[in-house]
Amino acid sequence: MNKQYVERIDDVFRLVGSRVSLDSIVHAFWRGQTAESIAQSFPSLVLEQVYGALTYYLANKNEVDAYLKKGEAEFETLRKAARDQDPMFYQKVADTRRQHEPTS
């Protein structure tokens, strides 16, 4: 029996029958979470789906890693564009964070 757990639709990897992205599962895996704890984090998934997604990732590691790297680069480009568009807002955020940092 060959069951499909991951599909690629509109250039996004998702778990079949859900809205959960493979990215979410892989990032949790990279943080050291077990399949059981990942399944608990996504109530719409069953443990089998998480193991299936992890198996898919490990079997297609080069392709998925390239996909994730591309997504991170796109996000960074958008983040930089947003900062360039409204630098005063981001300066206010940075100032507020500094004011609320605990002192040593």
Side-chain angles (χ1 to χ4, degrees):
M1 181 167 147
N2 190 8
K3 192 167 184 181
Q4 184 177 352
Y5 293 97
V6 177
E7 60 189 352
R8 193 168 188 169
I9 299 176
D10 296 329
D11 205 34
V12 176
F13 286 101
R14 296 207 183 278
L15 277 70
V16 173
S18 80
R19 296 181 60 189
V20 177
S21 70
L22 181 60
D23 308 37
S24 301
I25 304 299
V26 171
H27 285 284
F29 178 68
W30 286 349
R31 288 190 307 271
Q33 286 187 256
T34 63
E36 289 78 8
S37 68
I38 295 170
Q40 289 176 349
S41 299
F42 296 95
S44 64
L45 302 179
V46 296
L47 187 57
E48 178 185 347
Q49 289 172 294
V50 174
Y51 274 112
L54 292 174
T55 300
Y56 180 90
Y57 168 64
L58 294 171
N60 300 280
K61 193 170 181 324
N62 291 338
E63 178 187 6
V64 175
D65 284 349
Y67 160 80
L68 293 173
K69 189 172 186 173
K70 179 183 173 200
E72 289 169 9
E74 289 171 356
F75 175 80
E76 191 56 40
T77 299
L78 292 172
R79 188 171 76 93
K80 184 178 179 337
R83 285 181 180 270
D84 292 346
Q85 187 175 13
D86 194 355
M88 290 192 65
F89 170 77
Y90 288 95
Q91 184 60 51
K92 287 179 185 179
V93 170
D95 292 345
T96 301
R97 284 185 179 156
R98 273 195 295 279
Q99 290 174 359
H100 291 77
E101 286 180 351
T103 55
S104 299

